[in-house]
Amino acid sequence: MTTSDRIDTTSDHPHAVPDGLGATASDVVTADAKVVRKATVAGAVGSFVEWYDYGIYGLLVTYLAINIMGEAEAGGLFLTNVGFLISFLARPFGSVICGYLGDRLGRKGLLATLLVLISAATAAIGLIPSHAVIGVAAPVLLVLLRVLQGFSAGGEVAGAMSFVGEYAPDARRNYMMSFIAVGSFVALMFGSAFSAVLITALGDDAMTSWAWRVPFLLAVPLGYIGFYIRRRLEETPHFTALRERNTVARNPLKEALTSPRHLKAIALTIFLPALNGPGYYLLFVYMPTYLKTNLGEHNFSMLRALTVTAFSLVAIAVCIPLMARLSDRVGRKPVLAGSAVAMAVVSYPMFRLITTGQFGLACIGTIVLAVAFSGHAAVVHTALAEMFPTSVRYSAYSIGFSISTIIFGGSAPLVMTELIKSTGSNLVPAFASILTALITLAAVAVLRETKGRPLAAG
């Protein structure tokens, strides 16, 4: 990276961040537009790899239950969903360690390494011998690999968002960061499409026997591509500025967890993304299993269920950049609040459409939900990144968001499956969506608007 690529210390906004955001900002750091685009691509590609890896677990949970747990009945699905949850329980450990390293040593090298770990763990799942071959060792291996995935992902999300956010110009930060979210949904779409192609070409028997492994093994080349792109970038300009001024936090974790200001922001980071649980994990990752298992295979084969999900993924991937542009113009709070209200209003009627068991109505229901959720998906991570100064951004953001994901996200498939079974109602996900939308809306009420402001330094 050249000097012109890296730092511009002649900004019109050189010092304090206004409105009591509580940090002293560095001279606003800008990067060459070409470098910003490369950073955005690196963030989006990494997000694609991470969420492809995570998504196919949820998409192929039935096949995992048969092969790893030994059965696809209630017990097998329950244990497989526990495996989904376990990776999220490992996230805080990854967020603490990776956040510390990222704020202490820098973002770039760590993010490249995390991508390798996530991809290696995913590919290894595809190599686990079946329960019929090695017995209980199969689920044990699955759990260990899910722990490694969760540990790595715990440091990935906040790191990738911080990385792109610290490159992006203030006026377009949300738009540039939104492509990381787009990458996650395109990854789920690719996973759905790839799985659908395999099912169509090979049949359900082949998928159950061996072909379920193929999507997991594809993580190897995808991970290498992401690693290669990330390794070619330089450290973010904002972190470089801290390092050059010798103001990198000596102990970012201690600074984040002992400051009342940062602790309040971490608390907000837990509750603001509450809607992410139903958004990501119910509408997209869990939806194929929900359609097939709870609405009956005579209504939704796995192929039809994946097709329904694919339509909603296209809708949200198109809407996210539009919502991000709107946020850069009108602010983070209006878009987040509007999305939360929309989800609270449409969740029940749209899930009523989905539970009719009719393919066309299910497509309409999931597409409307995807559009309603797109405002939240586009904006929430930018708002979270802007809460913290560069010196503790990676650490504090990672900790809060990982806790939020455990509470509202990772437990979603398991909790929904058990609640549907105990209540006999297929509308349980609708009520979960409404509840979390209201939690997010309450958090938005106390959120400080950060649109267009320089990122704080420390």
Side-chain angles (χ1 to χ4, degrees), residues 309-335:
T309 305
F311 279 120
S312 63
L313 287 165
V314 171
I316 197 167
V318 170
C319 289
I320 282 175
L322 302 177
M323 292 294 105
R325 279 191 180 276
L326 182 63
S327 167
D328 280 332
R329 293 192 177 190
V330 305
R332 316 306 186 217
K333 294 185 65 170
V335 179

PDB file of all heavy atoms in Angstrom, residues 309-335:
ATOM      1  N   THR A 309     -36.557 -21.250   0.000  1.00  0.00           N
ATOM      2  CA  THR A 309     -35.520 -20.471   0.681  1.00  0.00           C
ATOM      3  C   THR A 309     -34.700 -19.659  -0.307  1.00  0.00           C
ATOM      4  O   THR A 309     -34.326 -18.515  -0.033  1.00  0.00           O
ATOM      5  CB  THR A 309     -34.608 -21.404   1.493  1.00  0.00           C
ATOM      6  OG1 THR A 309     -35.406 -22.193   2.382  1.00  0.00           O
ATOM      7  CG2 THR A 309     -33.603 -20.616   2.301  1.00  0.00           C
ATOM      8  N   ALA A 310     -34.421 -20.241  -1.474  1.00  0.00           N
ATOM      9  CA  ALA A 310     -33.610 -19.550  -2.480  1.00  0.00           C
ATOM     10  C   ALA A 310     -34.284 -18.264  -2.954  1.00  0.00           C
ATOM     11  O   ALA A 310     -33.624 -17.232  -3.142  1.00  0.00           O
ATOM     12  CB  ALA A 310     -33.341 -20.477  -3.664  1.00  0.00           C
ATOM     13  N   PHE A 311     -35.602 -18.285  -3.140  1.00  0.00           N
ATOM     14  CA  PHE A 311     -36.318 -17.076  -3.561  1.00  0.00           C
ATOM     15  C   PHE A 311     -36.154 -15.960  -2.526  1.00  0.00           C
ATOM     16  O   PHE A 311     -35.927 -14.792  -2.871  1.00  0.00           O
ATOM     17  CB  PHE A 311     -37.807 -17.383  -3.764  1.00  0.00           C
ATOM     18  CG  PHE A 311     -38.136 -18.017  -5.081  1.00  0.00           C
ATOM     19  CD1 PHE A 311     -38.721 -19.269  -5.139  1.00  0.00           C
ATOM     20  CD2 PHE A 311     -37.855 -17.357  -6.278  1.00  0.00           C
ATOM     21  CE1 PHE A 311     -39.031 -19.859  -6.352  1.00  0.00           C
ATOM     22  CE2 PHE A 311     -38.161 -17.940  -7.500  1.00  0.00           C
ATOM     23  CZ  PHE A 311     -38.747 -19.199  -7.543  1.00  0.00           C
ATOM     24  N   SER A 312     -36.278 -16.301  -1.266  1.00  0.00           N
ATOM     25  CA  SER A 312     -36.154 -15.280  -0.220  1.00  0.00           C
ATOM     26  C   SER A 312     -34.726 -14.764  -0.128  1.00  0.00           C
ATOM     27  O   SER A 312     -34.498 -13.580   0.165  1.00  0.00           O
ATOM     28  CB  SER A 312     -36.607 -15.843   1.127  1.00  0.00           C
ATOM     29  OG  SER A 312     -35.782 -16.919   1.538  1.00  0.00           O
ATOM     30  N   LEU A 313     -33.752 -15.623  -0.393  1.00  0.00           N
ATOM     31  CA  LEU A 313     -32.357 -15.198  -0.352  1.00  0.00           C
ATOM     32  C   LEU A 313     -32.042 -14.220  -1.485  1.00  0.00           C
ATOM     33  O   LEU A 313     -31.294 -13.255  -1.295  1.00  0.00           O
ATOM     34  CB  LEU A 313     -31.435 -16.415  -0.434  1.00  0.00           C
ATOM     35  CG  LEU A 313     -31.381 -17.270   0.832  1.00  0.00           C
ATOM     36  CD1 LEU A 313     -30.740 -18.624   0.546  1.00  0.00           C
ATOM     37  CD2 LEU A 313     -30.618 -16.554   1.938  1.00  0.00           C
ATOM     38  N   VAL A 314     -32.599 -14.448  -2.660  1.00  0.00           N
ATOM     39  CA  VAL A 314     -32.429 -13.496  -3.763  1.00  0.00           C
ATOM     40  C   VAL A 314     -33.018 -12.148  -3.375  1.00  0.00           C
ATOM     41  O   VAL A 314     -32.404 -11.091  -3.594  1.00  0.00           O
ATOM     42  CB  VAL A 314     -33.089 -14.031  -5.050  1.00  0.00           C
ATOM     43  CG1 VAL A 314     -33.111 -12.943  -6.130  1.00  0.00           C
ATOM     44  CG2 VAL A 314     -32.350 -15.251  -5.569  1.00  0.00           C
ATOM     45  N   ALA A 315     -34.194 -12.169  -2.780  1.00  0.00           N
ATOM     46  CA  ALA A 315     -34.871 -10.923  -2.405  1.00  0.00           C
ATOM     47  C   ALA A 315     -34.038 -10.110  -1.411  1.00  0.00           C
ATOM     48  O   ALA A 315     -33.864  -8.895  -1.578  1.00  0.00           O
ATOM     49  CB  ALA A 315     -36.242 -11.237  -1.812  1.00  0.00           C
ATOM     50  N   ILE A 316     -33.500 -10.772  -0.396  1.00  0.00           N
ATOM     51  CA  ILE A 316     -32.765 -10.010   0.621  1.00  0.00           C
ATOM     52  C   ILE A 316     -31.414  -9.544   0.092  1.00  0.00           C
ATOM     53  O   ILE A 316     -30.947  -8.441   0.432  1.00  0.00           O
ATOM     54  CB  ILE A 316     -32.611 -10.815   1.920  1.00  0.00           C
ATOM     55  CG1 ILE A 316     -32.234  -9.866   3.067  1.00  0.00           C
ATOM     56  CG2 ILE A 316     -31.603 -11.945   1.785  1.00  0.00           C
ATOM     57  CD1 ILE A 316     -32.354 -10.474   4.444  1.00  0.00           C
ATOM     58  N   ALA A 317     -30.775 -10.344  -0.767  1.00  0.00           N
ATOM     59  CA  ALA A 317     -29.482  -9.937  -1.332  1.00  0.00           C
ATOM     60  C   ALA A 317     -29.631  -8.685  -2.192  1.00  0.00           C
ATOM     61  O   ALA A 317     -28.735  -7.836  -2.239  1.00  0.00           O
ATOM     62  CB  ALA A 317     -28.887 -11.072  -2.154  1.00  0.00           C
ATOM     63  N   VAL A 318     -30.764  -8.540  -2.866  1.00  0.00           N
ATOM     64  CA  VAL A 318     -31.026  -7.347  -3.679  1.00  0.00           C
ATOM     65  C   VAL A 318     -31.339  -6.141  -2.794  1.00  0.00           C
ATOM     66  O   VAL A 318     -30.902  -5.011  -3.067  1.00  0.00           O
ATOM     67  CB  VAL A 318     -32.192  -7.612  -4.656  1.00  0.00           C
ATOM     68  CG1 VAL A 318     -32.646  -6.316  -5.339  1.00  0.00           C
ATOM     69  CG2 VAL A 318     -31.784  -8.644  -5.702  1.00  0.00           C
ATOM     70  N   CYS A 319     -32.085  -6.372  -1.712  1.00  0.00           N
ATOM     71  CA  CYS A 319     -32.572  -5.264  -0.881  1.00  0.00           C
ATOM     72  C   CYS A 319     -31.514  -4.691   0.058  1.00  0.00           C
ATOM     73  O   CYS A 319     -31.570  -3.507   0.410  1.00  0.00           O
ATOM     74  CB  CYS A 319     -33.779  -5.719  -0.056  1.00  0.00           C
ATOM     75  SG  CYS A 319     -35.275  -5.987  -1.018  1.00  0.00           S
ATOM     76  N   ILE A 320     -30.560  -5.493   0.492  1.00  0.00           N
ATOM     77  CA  ILE A 320     -29.603  -5.033   1.501  1.00  0.00           C
ATOM     78  C   ILE A 320     -28.823  -3.797   1.062  1.00  0.00           C
ATOM     79  O   ILE A 320     -28.750  -2.813   1.816  1.00  0.00           O
ATOM     80  CB  ILE A 320     -28.665  -6.180   1.919  1.00  0.00           C
ATOM     81  CG1 ILE A 320     -29.390  -7.118   2.885  1.00  0.00           C
ATOM     82  CG2 ILE A 320     -27.390  -5.648   2.584  1.00  0.00           C
ATOM     83  CD1 ILE A 320     -28.604  -8.348   3.269  1.00  0.00           C
ATOM     84  N   PRO A 321     -28.212  -3.758  -0.133  1.00  0.00           N
ATOM     85  CA  PRO A 321     -27.489  -2.535  -0.522  1.00  0.00           C
ATOM     86  C   PRO A 321     -28.394  -1.314  -0.613  1.00  0.00           C
ATOM     87  O   PRO A 321     -27.969  -0.198  -0.305  1.00  0.00           O
ATOM     88  CB  PRO A 321     -26.901  -2.896  -1.905  1.00  0.00           C
ATOM     89  CG  PRO A 321     -26.859  -4.381  -1.932  1.00  0.00           C
ATOM     90  CD  PRO A 321     -28.053  -4.821  -1.149  1.00  0.00           C
ATOM     91  N   LEU A 322     -29.651  -1.519  -1.009  1.00  0.00           N
ATOM     92  CA  LEU A 322     -30.597  -0.398  -1.084  1.00  0.00           C
ATOM     93  C   LEU A 322     -30.892   0.147   0.309  1.00  0.00           C
ATOM     94  O   LEU A 322     -30.940   1.372   0.514  1.00  0.00           O
ATOM     95  CB  LEU A 322     -31.895  -0.854  -1.762  1.00  0.00           C
ATOM     96  CG  LEU A 322     -31.756  -1.422  -3.180  1.00  0.00           C
ATOM     97  CD1 LEU A 322     -33.118  -1.893  -3.698  1.00  0.00           C
ATOM     98  CD2 LEU A 322     -31.170  -0.368  -4.119  1.00  0.00           C
ATOM     99  N   MET A 323     -31.094  -0.737   1.267  1.00  0.00           N
ATOM    100  CA  MET A 323     -31.343  -0.311   2.645  1.00  0.00           C
ATOM    101  C   MET A 323     -30.107   0.373   3.237  1.00  0.00           C
ATOM    102  O   MET A 323     -30.222   1.342   4.005  1.00  0.00           O
ATOM    103  CB  MET A 323     -31.736  -1.510   3.508  1.00  0.00           C
ATOM    104  CG  MET A 323     -33.077  -2.135   3.179  1.00  0.00           C
ATOM    105  SD  MET A 323     -34.480  -1.025   3.517  1.00  0.00           S
ATOM    106  CE  MET A 323     -34.892  -0.540   1.840  1.00  0.00           C
ATOM    107  N   ALA A 324     -28.933  -0.105   2.877  1.00  0.00           N
ATOM    108  CA  ALA A 324     -27.699   0.504   3.376  1.00  0.00           C
ATOM    109  C   ALA A 324     -27.527   1.918   2.819  1.00  0.00           C
ATOM    110  O   ALA A 324     -27.128   2.834   3.548  1.00  0.00           O
ATOM    111  CB  ALA A 324     -26.503  -0.361   2.995  1.00  0.00           C
ATOM    112  N   ARG A 325     -27.807   2.090   1.544  1.00  0.00           N
ATOM    113  CA  ARG A 325     -27.756   3.443   0.956  1.00  0.00           C
ATOM    114  C   ARG A 325     -28.732   4.374   1.664  1.00  0.00           C
ATOM    115  O   ARG A 325     -28.421   5.540   1.942  1.00  0.00           O
ATOM    116  CB  ARG A 325     -28.089   3.382  -0.535  1.00  0.00           C
ATOM    117  CG  ARG A 325     -26.922   2.973  -1.424  1.00  0.00           C
ATOM    118  CD  ARG A 325     -27.275   3.198  -2.875  1.00  0.00           C
ATOM    119  NE  ARG A 325     -26.199   2.836  -3.768  1.00  0.00           N
ATOM    120  CZ  ARG A 325     -25.183   3.635  -4.089  1.00  0.00           C
ATOM    121  NH1 ARG A 325     -25.107   4.844  -3.544  1.00  0.00           N
ATOM    122  NH2 ARG A 325     -24.250   3.229  -4.929  1.00  0.00           N
ATOM    123  N   LEU A 326     -29.923   3.852   1.949  1.00  0.00           N
ATOM    124  CA  LEU A 326     -30.920   4.668   2.657  1.00  0.00           C
ATOM    125  C   LEU A 326     -30.399   5.055   4.037  1.00  0.00           C
ATOM    126  O   LEU A 326     -30.565   6.211   4.473  1.00  0.00           O
ATOM    127  CB  LEU A 326     -32.221   3.878   2.778  1.00  0.00           C
ATOM    128  CG  LEU A 326     -33.389   4.585   3.459  1.00  0.00           C
ATOM    129  CD1 LEU A 326     -33.819   5.815   2.645  1.00  0.00           C
ATOM    130  CD2 LEU A 326     -34.571   3.622   3.634  1.00  0.00           C
ATOM    131  N   SER A 327     -29.753   4.116   4.718  1.00  0.00           N
ATOM    132  CA  SER A 327     -29.201   4.398   6.040  1.00  0.00           C
ATOM    133  C   SER A 327     -28.123   5.476   5.986  1.00  0.00           C
ATOM    134  O   SER A 327     -28.034   6.331   6.880  1.00  0.00           O
ATOM    135  CB  SER A 327     -28.620   3.112   6.639  1.00  0.00           C
ATOM    136  OG  SER A 327     -27.823   3.379   7.762  1.00  0.00           O
ATOM    137  N   ASP A 328     -27.283   5.455   4.953  1.00  0.00           N
ATOM    138  CA  ASP A 328     -26.249   6.479   4.814  1.00  0.00           C
ATOM    139  C   ASP A 328     -26.855   7.858   4.559  1.00  0.00           C
ATOM    140  O   ASP A 328     -26.194   8.877   4.790  1.00  0.00           O
ATOM    141  CB  ASP A 328     -25.299   6.110   3.666  1.00  0.00           C
ATOM    142  CG  ASP A 328     -24.257   5.065   4.074  1.00  0.00           C
ATOM    143  OD1 ASP A 328     -23.916   5.015   5.273  1.00  0.00           O
ATOM    144  OD2 ASP A 328     -23.798   4.305   3.198  1.00  0.00           O
ATOM    145  N   ARG A 329     -28.089   7.897   4.094  1.00  0.00           N
ATOM    146  CA  ARG A 329     -28.757   9.185   3.838  1.00  0.00           C
ATOM    147  C   ARG A 329     -29.604   9.654   5.018  1.00  0.00           C
ATOM    148  O   ARG A 329     -29.545  10.816   5.401  1.00  0.00           O
ATOM    149  CB  ARG A 329     -29.640   9.077   2.595  1.00  0.00           C
ATOM    150  CG  ARG A 329     -28.851   8.889   1.315  1.00  0.00           C
ATOM    151  CD  ARG A 329     -29.729   9.080   0.100  1.00  0.00           C
ATOM    152  NE  ARG A 329     -28.964   8.976  -1.124  1.00  0.00           N
ATOM    153  CZ  ARG A 329     -29.434   9.285  -2.330  1.00  0.00           C
ATOM    154  NH1 ARG A 329     -30.679   9.714  -2.468  1.00  0.00           N
ATOM    155  NH2 ARG A 329     -28.665   9.148  -3.401  1.00  0.00           N
ATOM    156  N   VAL A 330     -30.418   8.742   5.581  1.00  0.00           N
ATOM    157  CA  VAL A 330     -31.377   9.175   6.612  1.00  0.00           C
ATOM    158  C   VAL A 330     -30.958   8.776   8.019  1.00  0.00           C
ATOM    159  O   VAL A 330     -31.530   9.284   8.993  1.00  0.00           O
ATOM    160  CB  VAL A 330     -32.785   8.625   6.313  1.00  0.00           C
ATOM    161  CG1 VAL A 330     -33.235   9.025   4.922  1.00  0.00           C
ATOM    162  CG2 VAL A 330     -32.852   7.111   6.488  1.00  0.00           C
ATOM    163  N   GLY A 331     -30.015   7.861   8.161  1.00  0.00           N
ATOM    164  CA  GLY A 331     -29.556   7.471   9.486  1.00  0.00           C
ATOM    165  C   GLY A 331     -29.783   5.995   9.779  1.00  0.00           C
ATOM    166  O   GLY A 331     -30.595   5.326   9.129  1.00  0.00           O
ATOM    167  N   ARG A 332     -29.038   5.505  10.773  1.00  0.00           N
ATOM    168  CA  ARG A 332     -29.143   4.098  11.157  1.00  0.00           C
ATOM    169  C   ARG A 332     -30.459   3.812  11.883  1.00  0.00           C
ATOM    170  O   ARG A 332     -31.117   2.800  11.639  1.00  0.00           O
ATOM    171  CB  ARG A 332     -27.994   3.693  12.090  1.00  0.00           C
ATOM    172  CG  ARG A 332     -26.605   4.170  11.721  1.00  0.00           C
ATOM    173  CD  ARG A 332     -26.170   3.815  10.333  1.00  0.00           C
ATOM    174  NE  ARG A 332     -24.779   4.187  10.107  1.00  0.00           N
ATOM    175  CZ  ARG A 332     -24.317   4.655   8.951  1.00  0.00           C
ATOM    176  NH1 ARG A 332     -25.133   4.824   7.912  1.00  0.00           N
ATOM    177  NH2 ARG A 332     -23.037   4.953   8.813  1.00  0.00           N
ATOM    178  N   LYS A 333     -30.833   4.697  12.782  1.00  0.00           N
ATOM    179  CA  LYS A 333     -32.003   4.450  13.620  1.00  0.00           C
ATOM    180  C   LYS A 333     -33.307   4.315  12.831  1.00  0.00           C
ATOM    181  O   LYS A 333     -34.082   3.381  13.089  1.00  0.00           O
ATOM    182  CB  LYS A 333     -32.122   5.544  14.689  1.00  0.00           C
ATOM    183  CG  LYS A 333     -30.993   5.539  15.700  1.00  0.00           C
ATOM    184  CD  LYS A 333     -31.209   6.558  16.804  1.00  0.00           C
ATOM    185  CE  LYS A 333     -32.421   6.219  17.645  1.00  0.00           C
ATOM    186  NZ  LYS A 333     -32.506   7.055  18.861  1.00  0.00           N
ATOM    187  N   PRO A 334     -33.602   5.209  11.878  1.00  0.00           N
ATOM    188  CA  PRO A 334     -34.873   5.063  11.151  1.00  0.00           C
ATOM    189  C   PRO A 334     -34.988   3.735  10.394  1.00  0.00           C
ATOM    190  O   PRO A 334     -36.065   3.123  10.380  1.00  0.00           O
ATOM    191  CB  PRO A 334     -34.861   6.254  10.184  1.00  0.00           C
ATOM    192  CG  PRO A 334     -33.949   7.247  10.800  1.00  0.00           C
ATOM    193  CD  PRO A 334     -32.894   6.446  11.487  1.00  0.00           C
ATOM    194  N   VAL A 335     -33.891   3.290   9.784  1.00  0.00           N
ATOM    195  CA  VAL A 335     -33.946   2.048   9.006  1.00  0.00           C
ATOM    196  C   VAL A 335     -34.073   0.836   9.932  1.00  0.00           C
ATOM    197  O   VAL A 335     -34.866  -0.078   9.671  1.00  0.00           O
ATOM    198  CB  VAL A 335     -32.710   1.917   8.092  1.00  0.00           C
ATOM    199  CG1 VAL A 335     -32.766   0.607   7.306  1.00  0.00           C
ATOM    200  CG2 VAL A 335     -32.634   3.096   7.130  1.00  0.00           C
TER     201      VAL A 335
END
